[in-house]
Amino acid sequence: MNDSENNQDHGQDGAQEAFRALLRDQPVWDMERLPVFDPATAPEEPLPLFRRWFTEAVAAGQPEPHTMTLATADERGRPDVRTLMLHDADSRGWHFATHATSRKGRQLAARPEAALGFYWPAQARAVRIRGTVRGAGREESDADLRVRSTGALASALVGRQSEVLGSAEELARASEAAWERARHDPAAEAASWTAYVLVPDEVEFFQGDARRRHVRLRYEREGDGWVRELLWP
């Protein structure tokens, strides 16, 4: 090995160790006191608890608490994950929307099962949801698009999500045209825009604890109701 290669290896080792040190130095739940969650007070079903925790995350100043991760799998079972926004949570399930022609849309068409993940570090809380996914229908999909901001509508009108992009200029032209249309026609339709509902069969609530005695409460659907059980952290 020559001196140049040796110096390069030492440089890579140093960068790796610096990265590891940076990881180790990051604070976790850097707050004076974590919330206390008594699972004995939890409701019989998960939706009211989710709504309560979401409201408390907002009150605690959690940035973008409606941001969530969506995990899907392709026809070969290979997992995919991405970040998107929650549009609603009601008795039917947890709502989101995307283009049916996007990668996640195609994956949901092939395997209509998914998982959602919420993480609210402002209160050391997380929620995991797993279940089947159903398309909400054309009328509801169009209604979802109409209540969104001009920018969100313009993005939907651009479409072509997950396709290969030729250049930044191509995107700029398409985006400008979409913004113009969205401003002048707020009722414009995007044919591939689809609202989805994740119907849960399992919901887990995680409350962090400074001594690592984390509380994990899992709801599992059983018939028309739910079974609640604690999990080891």
Side-chain angles (χ1 to χ4, degrees), residues 41-224:
T41 65
E44 294 297 320
E45 57 185 41
L47 180 60
L49 183 56
F50 177 83
R51 287 175 169 171
R52 189 176 87 201
W53 276 25
F54 183 88
T55 301
E56 291 173 355
V58 173
Q62 175 63 52
E64 298 185 357
H66 58 319
T67 299
M68 61 185 185
T69 54
L70 168 69
T72 57
D74 65 16
E75 64 279 359
R76 293 168 52 188
R78 295 179 300 176
D80 241 329
V81 66
R82 74 285 290 167
T83 303
L84 69 169
M85 301 295 183
L86 177 71
H87 287 200
D88 199 1
D90 59 18
S91 59
R92 289 184 294 161
W94 276 252
H95 298 237
F96 61 95
T98 189
H99 290 281
T101 52
S102 67
R103 174 179 285 187
K104 54 187 172 293
R106 297 193 305 271
Q107 290 175 349
L108 288 171
R111 301 170 68 103
E113 297 176 313
L116 300 175
F118 294 85
Y119 178 46
W120 300 317
Q123 294 202 298
R125 285 175 172 172
V127 181
R128 299 195 305 157
I129 307 162
R130 184 165 61 178
T132 57
V133 179
R134 302 171 182 170
R138 186 72 265 145
E139 183 177 347
E140 190 168 343
S141 297
D142 290 342
D144 176 86
L145 196 56
R146 284 195 293 272
V147 299
R148 306 193 79 207
S149 66
T150 300
L153 173 58
S155 178
L157 291 173
V158 170
R160 304 187 66 178
Q161 192 176 61
S162 304
E163 294 182 19
V164 175
L165 176 64
S167 67
E169 291 75 16
E170 183 181 1
L171 172 59
R173 289 192 298 269
S175 177
E176 188 59 38
W179 270 89
E180 188 69 17
R181 184 182 175 192
R183 292 190 190 100
H184 290 88
D185 184 10
E189 296 181 1
S192 62
W193 187 256
T194 304
Y196 294 92
V197 182
L198 187 148
V199 182
D201 52 45
E202 181 180 326
V203 184
E204 181 190 324
F205 294 84
F206 171 96
Q207 173 64 68
D209 177 81
R211 300 192 68 181
R212 301 304 189 263
R213 298 170 183 172
H214 313 309
V215 178
R216 294 177 62 189
L217 175 65
R218 180 173 65 190
Y219 289 79
E220 285 198 291
R221 191 182 293 277
E222 187 174 273
D224 295 330

